Each structure stands twice: as structure tokens, then as C-alpha cells.
Amino acid sequence: MATRSEQSPNDGGQSDIHPANDLNELTGKHWIRFTKSWFVCDSPRYHRNKDTELHPARYPEELVAEFVNFFTKPDQWILDPFCGSGATLIACLEEGRKAIGVELSPKYVQVTQQRLQRLDALGNVQVLAGDARRLTDPALWQDCLACSDGELPQFDFIITSPPYWNMLHKSRGGVESTHKQRASQGLDTHYSESEDDLGNIEDYDEFIEALGAVFDQCQRLLKPDKYMVVVAQNLRVADGYVVPLAWDLQKRLSRTFNFQGERIWCQNTKQLGIWGYPKIFVPNYHHHYCLIFRNDKGCSRPS
Ligand SMILES: C[S@@+](CC[C@H](N)C(=O)[O-])C[C@H]1O[C@@H](n2cnc3c(N)ncnc32)[C@H](O)[C@@H]1O
């Protein structure tokens, strides 16, 4: 995965950017490479530390960097409504973008703030403590770097990974699962006990609708014709059936956005669990869907 900072001089310069390209600063070669519908990304060690490891479900900064470089130009504004430990903000900073994250858990807000402080980055990226279900409440945006004149901010790109339903509450498997290992190391196994935490909703349909309502609000914060990427996964629940969360989300969000397709994020170094052996087939889910939407369904803009 070539991020902006990793492109070699031989990969082309400003002059190789097509004059009609107003989306990004990629050469044709890098543009086409990105359109392959799957990629491998395993989080390199250097972004990990004691604080970030506390969070139970992070995505790699390198993944965000690649999407941000495709869907934005330098200095544009990016939103992550489920910011967690701040991977989106760190990646945006490293790639010369500006970004706002919203996060419910005070603990992860603090983790993110500390990461940003260490990088002396507080002018261009910011984490807001708040509830993503109230994204269009002006109170959330008071004192936000991306706002002026009390208006709701308008972002150039949204990238996020919401809670995967209440899966973090479930431990399973005949071997010591990641869940149990984390608990024994004193690391978080779920986000919070808060009833506002979408990862604590028991009923699946209610969960999908709550997420749908968050993303309906995202549409009002995203500039017309701009893109949103939602990272999600299908889930095998302990009772032996698969909940197609990624596919259900795609369907619900397509009411508001125009679905453009998916890129499949493959994790190649994740440890295999021994789930069904030697009796039944149980997949080791080592891939996630990066669902790509465009804000050009103007007729269904929610009020
Ligand atoms: C999958 S994690 C995001 C992880 C993030 N991408 C990272 O790499 O650190 C989902 C996050 O959503 C947060 N969350 C849950 N309910 C929320 C809500 N109502 N508003 C804002 N954040 C919420 C959780 O605390 C959790 O940190």
C-alpha cells in the first residue's frame, strides 16, 4: 500500500496528475492500483503502544492513509464519527489532511488527545467528545476547528468503522480467544457500559436502524458528490449462524447514499482460531468490507 509519504520520486510528480482530476493528487498508475477490489493490510508495530492497544477494535492508520489519499487532496477536511483511539486523525495528519473525530467514550477521547498532543498536532486535527447520534446538533460543533459562523461543518470525506453490533460482548471458541487473552492482560474487551454506546444494543434490527440514523446525519455533513467509506464485517455468532452485518449496512445506507462498491481489506497475519474442527465448517473471518458510498442521491436528503 503506497501512502503519499511513501511514493517514490519515480512514481511521478505533479505533472503526471491528469488535468481533469479534481478528486486527488494521484498519478494514473496509483489511481488504477487503488481500484483493485481487495488489499492486504496488517497493522505494523510502529503505530501500536500501550494506549492504543487498550482499544479493542482498531483499524490500521495505513488503511486510512490509502483511502484518504484517493478520496481527498491535501488540506481537505475529513470526519470520523466513531473515532475510537484516533487512527483516522493520526493518518490524516501524516498525510497532510485536516480531520475531526467524534467519540463517545471519555477514555478513548483521552487516548486520542494524548496521541495528538505527542505529535503537537492540535491545530489541524481534533477529537470531540460526543454522541454520533447527535451529529447534526449544533451544540456538538461549538469550538470545532472545522466550523465557522455557527454553521454545521461540511466535510470532503468521511471514513469510519462503527461498532460491529454487540460482538465484543461475546467470547467464543475452544482455544483461548483474543477476548480472553485481552481480559487477562487488563485490556478492554468492549468499549463501555454506556447505554448510548451503539455496541451495547442487543436487538439487531434496532442496532442497524440506529447506525442508519447516524449515517443519515452524515449526509448533511458531507459535501455533494463527495465520498464516505464505512468499514464493517459479517459476523458469525456463537449460535452457529452468520449475521451479514456488512451487507445489511450496505442496504440501509443505500437509502441515503449511492453505493459505489466495496474494497475488501484482508488481514494476512491474524492468528487462525480452531472453531469448528473436526466436525463443522466455521470460517475464520479475516477480512472486512470497506463500503464506498457517494453523496449524490440528492432527492433523498433527510431534513
Ligand atoms: C470500531 S470502534 C472505532 C475504532 C477506530 N476506527 C480506531 O481505529 O481506533 C467504534 C467506536 O465507536 C464508539 N462509539 C460507540 N457508540 C458511539 C456513539 N453513540 N457515538 C460516538 N461513538 C460511539 C466506541 O466507543 C468505539 O470506540
Side-chain angles (χ1 to χ4, degrees):
M1 300 173 73
T3 60
R4 180 173 174 241
S5 32
E6 288 163 359
Q7 281 183 25
S8 86
N10 296 334
D11 283 346
Q14 201 74 17
S15 59
D16 295 320
I17 301 169
H18 196 287
N21 176 0
D22 58 9
L23 181 62
N24 57 42
E25 291 198 335
L26 297 184
T27 63
K29 187 168 95 178
H30 282 105
W31 178 299
I32 300 301
R33 261 190 210 163
F34 179 86
T35 59
K36 188 159 96 176
S37 61
W38 63 272
F39 62 97
V40 177
C41 184
D42 293 299
S43 189
R45 285 237 148 253
Y46 77 92
H47 274 302
R48 296 183 180 183
N49 61 43
K50 198 166 63 48
D51 292 342
T52 58
E53 287 309 286
L54 188 70
H55 193 284
R58 307 178 61 238
Y59 58 26
E61 285 76 6
E62 293 72 15
L63 176 150
V64 180
E66 223 201 337
F67 279 92
V68 154
N69 281 325
F70 190 87
F71 287 112
T72 65
K73 290 172 180 262
D75 288 329
Q76 290 189 326
W77 280 102
I78 290 134
L79 170 68
D80 182 346
F82 297 102
C83 158
S85 61
T88 299
L89 303 189
I90 299 293
C92 287
L93 191 69
E94 289 179 347
E95 301 303 319
R97 270 66 173 175
K98 299 174 179 170
I100 304 293
V102 176
E103 170 57 46
L104 184 75
S105 155
K107 193 187 332 182
Y108 304 139
V109 169
Q110 200 189 3
V111 166
T112 301
Q113 253 157 1
Q114 283 165 353
R115 295 183 80 191
L116 299 179
Q117 267 156 8
R118 268 184 239 125
L119 293 168
D120 201 14
L122 296 177
N124 291 327
V125 289
Q126 184 180 26
V127 56
L128 303 176
D131 188 337
R133 295 173 306 171
R134 288 194 261 285
L135 279 179
T136 49
D137 180 347
L140 176 68
W141 302 102
Q142 277 173 4
D143 307 322
C144 170
L145 291 172
C147 303
S148 56
D149 306 332
E151 299 282 327
L152 287 179
Q154 292 293 292
F155 290 93
D156 298 284
F157 180 50
I158 296 175
I159 183 164
T160 197
S161 175
Y164 290 1
W165 188 25
N166 58 3
M167 282 311 283
L168 291 179
H169 288 282
K170 312 206 186 292
S171 178
R172 66 193 173 91
V175 293
E176 200 189 11
S177 66
T178 309
H179 191 118
K180 286 176 188 148
Q181 277 173 26
R182 287 185 63 87
S184 68
Q185 291 164 17
L187 299 172
D188 288 352
T189 55
H190 57 280
Y191 306 127
S192 72
E193 306 302 329
S194 166
E195 60 184 27
D196 297 324
D197 182 336
L198 301 191
N200 290 338
I201 299 178
E202 278 291 319
D203 183 83
Y204 182 67
D205 293 335
E206 194 189 319
F207 167 74
I208 291 289
E209 193 38 48
L211 269 190
V214 168
F215 288 112
D216 284 348
Q217 293 183 68
C218 282
Q219 193 211 18
R220 293 183 54 198
L221 303 176
L222 186 60
K223 291 179 184 169
D225 297 333
K226 295 290 187 178
Y227 291 85
M228 175 173 82
V229 170
V230 178
V231 180
Q233 196 173 39
N234 292 336
L235 312 166
R236 186 183 183 278
V237 296
D239 311 344
Y241 62 93
V242 172
V243 175
L245 167 61
W247 301 344
D248 288 339
L249 258 188
Q250 180 279 330
K251 203 166 163 197
R252 172 60 182 83
L253 271 52
S254 294
R255 280 198 221 156
T256 308
F257 293 90
N258 207 338
F259 180 55
Q260 302 294 294
E262 74 275 22
R263 294 188 79 220
I264 298 174
W265 161 31
C266 304
Q267 296 166 293
N268 209 23
T269 58
K270 202 170 153 185
Q271 200 183 356
L272 290 167
I274 309 166
W275 306 123
Y277 180 80
K279 294 203 168 164
I280 52 166
F281 168 75
V282 177
N284 266 282
Y285 271 121
H286 289 191
H287 71 280
H288 304 241
Y289 291 85
C290 303
L291 303 169
I292 303 168
F293 299 90
R294 193 165 190 245
N295 186 18
D296 59 0
K297 229 176 173 179
C299 55
S300 63
R301 187 169 276 261
S303 58

mmCIF file of all heavy atoms in Angstrom, residues 80-98:
data_model
loop_
_atom_site.group_PDB
_atom_site.id
_atom_site.type_symbol
_atom_site.label_atom_id
_atom_site.label_comp_id
_atom_site.label_asym_id
_atom_site.label_seq_id
_atom_site.Cartn_x
_atom_site.Cartn_y
_atom_site.Cartn_z
ATOM 1 N N ASP A 80 -14.493 11.430 11.092
ATOM 2 C CA ASP A 80 -14.693 10.061 11.572
ATOM 3 C C ASP A 80 -15.670 10.122 12.748
ATOM 4 O O ASP A 80 -15.298 10.541 13.846
ATOM 5 C CB ASP A 80 -13.359 9.441 12.016
ATOM 6 C CG ASP A 80 -13.542 7.988 12.475
ATOM 7 O OD1 ASP A 80 -14.691 7.568 12.692
ATOM 8 O OD2 ASP A 80 -12.522 7.282 12.623
ATOM 9 N N PRO A 81 -16.938 9.715 12.544
ATOM 10 C CA PRO A 81 -17.930 9.826 13.628
ATOM 11 C C PRO A 81 -17.789 8.780 14.733
ATOM 12 O O PRO A 81 -18.455 8.888 15.765
ATOM 13 C CB PRO A 81 -19.270 9.676 12.899
ATOM 14 C CG PRO A 81 -18.960 8.948 11.634
ATOM 15 C CD PRO A 81 -17.539 9.264 11.270
ATOM 16 N N PHE A 82 -16.971 7.746 14.512
ATOM 17 C CA PHE A 82 -16.703 6.740 15.561
ATOM 18 C C PHE A 82 -15.182 6.627 15.684
ATOM 19 O O PHE A 82 -14.577 5.647 15.238
ATOM 20 C CB PHE A 82 -17.318 5.386 15.183
ATOM 21 C CG PHE A 82 -18.814 5.388 15.067
ATOM 22 C CD1 PHE A 82 -19.442 5.427 13.830
ATOM 23 C CD2 PHE A 82 -19.612 5.346 16.209
ATOM 24 C CE1 PHE A 82 -20.827 5.425 13.718
ATOM 25 C CE2 PHE A 82 -21.003 5.336 16.110
ATOM 26 C CZ PHE A 82 -21.616 5.384 14.860
ATOM 27 N N CYS A 83 -14.590 7.603 16.310
ATOM 28 C CA CYS A 83 -13.141 7.846 16.169
ATOM 29 C C CYS A 83 -12.258 6.886 16.975
ATOM 30 O O CYS A 83 -11.078 6.706 16.656
ATOM 31 C CB CYS A 83 -12.930 9.294 16.560
ATOM 32 S SG CYS A 83 -11.337 9.750 17.081
ATOM 33 N N GLY A 84 -12.816 6.272 18.022
ATOM 34 C CA GLY A 84 -12.040 5.294 18.794
ATOM 35 C C GLY A 84 -10.740 5.872 19.309
ATOM 36 O O GLY A 84 -10.711 6.936 19.931
ATOM 37 N N SER A 85 -9.642 5.186 19.014
ATOM 38 C CA SER A 85 -8.340 5.620 19.539
ATOM 39 C C SER A 85 -7.616 6.552 18.569
ATOM 40 O O SER A 85 -6.430 6.809 18.729
ATOM 41 C CB SER A 85 -7.479 4.392 19.823
ATOM 42 O OG SER A 85 -7.287 3.678 18.619
ATOM 43 N N GLY A 86 -8.327 7.034 17.550
ATOM 44 C CA GLY A 86 -7.788 8.141 16.743
ATOM 45 C C GLY A 86 -6.997 7.747 15.506
ATOM 46 O O GLY A 86 -6.279 8.592 14.954
ATOM 47 N N ALA A 87 -7.147 6.522 15.023
ATOM 48 C CA ALA A 87 -6.364 6.108 13.843
ATOM 49 C C ALA A 87 -6.610 7.037 12.654
ATOM 50 O O ALA A 87 -5.669 7.413 11.938
ATOM 51 C CB ALA A 87 -6.724 4.668 13.458
ATOM 52 N N THR A 88 -7.869 7.438 12.457
ATOM 53 C CA THR A 88 -8.171 8.319 11.315
ATOM 54 C C THR A 88 -7.448 9.651 11.464
ATOM 55 O O THR A 88 -6.867 10.172 10.500
ATOM 56 C CB THR A 88 -9.702 8.555 11.225
ATOM 57 O OG1 THR A 88 -10.333 7.294 11.015
ATOM 58 C CG2 THR A 88 -10.050 9.489 10.080
ATOM 59 N N LEU A 89 -7.470 10.198 12.675
ATOM 60 C CA LEU A 89 -6.861 11.521 12.875
ATOM 61 C C LEU A 89 -5.346 11.463 12.659
ATOM 62 O O LEU A 89 -4.754 12.344 12.022
ATOM 63 C CB LEU A 89 -7.182 12.052 14.274
ATOM 64 C CG LEU A 89 -8.662 12.171 14.626
ATOM 65 C CD1 LEU A 89 -8.839 12.918 15.948
ATOM 66 C CD2 LEU A 89 -9.452 12.876 13.537
ATOM 67 N N ILE A 90 -4.727 10.414 13.163
ATOM 68 C CA ILE A 90 -3.265 10.286 13.016
ATOM 69 C C ILE A 90 -2.901 10.126 11.535
ATOM 70 O O ILE A 90 -1.982 10.773 11.029
ATOM 71 C CB ILE A 90 -2.734 9.072 13.819
ATOM 72 C CG1 ILE A 90 -3.033 9.232 15.316
ATOM 73 C CG2 ILE A 90 -1.242 8.849 13.573
ATOM 74 C CD1 ILE A 90 -2.307 10.341 16.024
ATOM 75 N N ALA A 91 -3.663 9.297 10.833
ATOM 76 C CA ALA A 91 -3.376 9.081 9.406
ATOM 77 C C ALA A 91 -3.555 10.377 8.621
ATOM 78 O O ALA A 91 -2.753 10.701 7.740
ATOM 79 C CB ALA A 91 -4.284 7.989 8.847
ATOM 80 N N CYS A 92 -4.618 11.111 8.926
ATOM 81 C CA CYS A 92 -4.867 12.372 8.202
ATOM 82 C C CYS A 92 -3.729 13.346 8.445
ATOM 83 O O CYS A 92 -3.252 14.020 7.519
ATOM 84 C CB CYS A 92 -6.197 12.983 8.642
ATOM 85 S SG CYS A 92 -7.604 12.073 7.982
ATOM 86 N N LEU A 93 -3.303 13.413 9.665
ATOM 87 C CA LEU A 93 -2.186 14.303 9.999
ATOM 88 C C LEU A 93 -0.944 13.931 9.192
ATOM 89 O O LEU A 93 -0.287 14.790 8.590
ATOM 90 C CB LEU A 93 -1.911 14.142 11.491
ATOM 91 C CG LEU A 93 -0.974 15.131 12.113
ATOM 92 C CD1 LEU A 93 -1.626 16.501 12.144
ATOM 93 C CD2 LEU A 93 -0.655 14.682 13.531
ATOM 94 N N GLU A 94 -0.651 12.634 9.163
ATOM 95 C CA GLU A 94 0.553 12.183 8.448
ATOM 96 C C GLU A 94 0.453 12.427 6.950
ATOM 97 O O GLU A 94 1.457 12.570 6.270
ATOM 98 C CB GLU A 94 0.784 10.686 8.715
ATOM 99 C CG GLU A 94 1.247 10.429 10.142
ATOM 100 C CD GLU A 94 1.458 8.946 10.453
ATOM 101 O OE1 GLU A 94 1.022 8.078 9.675
ATOM 102 O OE2 GLU A 94 2.049 8.669 11.499
ATOM 103 N N GLU A 95 -0.775 12.476 6.444
ATOM 104 C CA GLU A 95 -0.955 12.663 5.004
ATOM 105 C C GLU A 95 -1.301 14.112 4.644
ATOM 106 O O GLU A 95 -1.725 14.389 3.520
ATOM 107 C CB GLU A 95 -2.051 11.713 4.489
ATOM 108 C CG GLU A 95 -1.754 10.241 4.728
ATOM 109 C CD GLU A 95 -0.430 9.781 4.106
ATOM 110 O OE1 GLU A 95 -0.117 10.190 2.985
ATOM 111 O OE2 GLU A 95 0.308 9.017 4.787
ATOM 112 N N GLY A 96 -1.157 15.024 5.608
ATOM 113 C CA GLY A 96 -1.355 16.445 5.307
ATOM 114 C C GLY A 96 -2.809 16.835 5.116
ATOM 115 O O GLY A 96 -3.128 17.761 4.375
ATOM 116 N N ARG A 97 -3.715 16.137 5.808
ATOM 117 C CA ARG A 97 -5.133 16.490 5.758
ATOM 118 C C ARG A 97 -5.571 17.023 7.120
ATOM 119 O O ARG A 97 -4.861 16.881 8.115
ATOM 120 C CB ARG A 97 -5.982 15.247 5.428
ATOM 121 C CG ARG A 97 -6.219 14.991 3.947
ATOM 122 C CD ARG A 97 -4.980 14.646 3.204
ATOM 123 N NE ARG A 97 -5.243 14.251 1.817
ATOM 124 C CZ ARG A 97 -4.299 14.000 0.930
ATOM 125 N NH1 ARG A 97 -3.019 14.118 1.249
ATOM 126 N NH2 ARG A 97 -4.608 13.641 -0.294
ATOM 127 N N LYS A 98 -6.793 17.588 7.160
ATOM 128 C CA LYS A 98 -7.354 18.076 8.419
ATOM 129 C C LYS A 98 -8.515 17.164 8.799
ATOM 130 O O LYS A 98 -9.227 16.691 7.896
ATOM 131 C CB LYS A 98 -7.851 19.503 8.245
ATOM 132 C CG LYS A 98 -6.744 20.470 7.847
ATOM 133 C CD LYS A 98 -7.326 21.819 7.547
ATOM 134 C CE LYS A 98 -6.225 22.801 7.179
ATOM 135 N NZ LYS A 98 -6.777 24.049 6.658
#
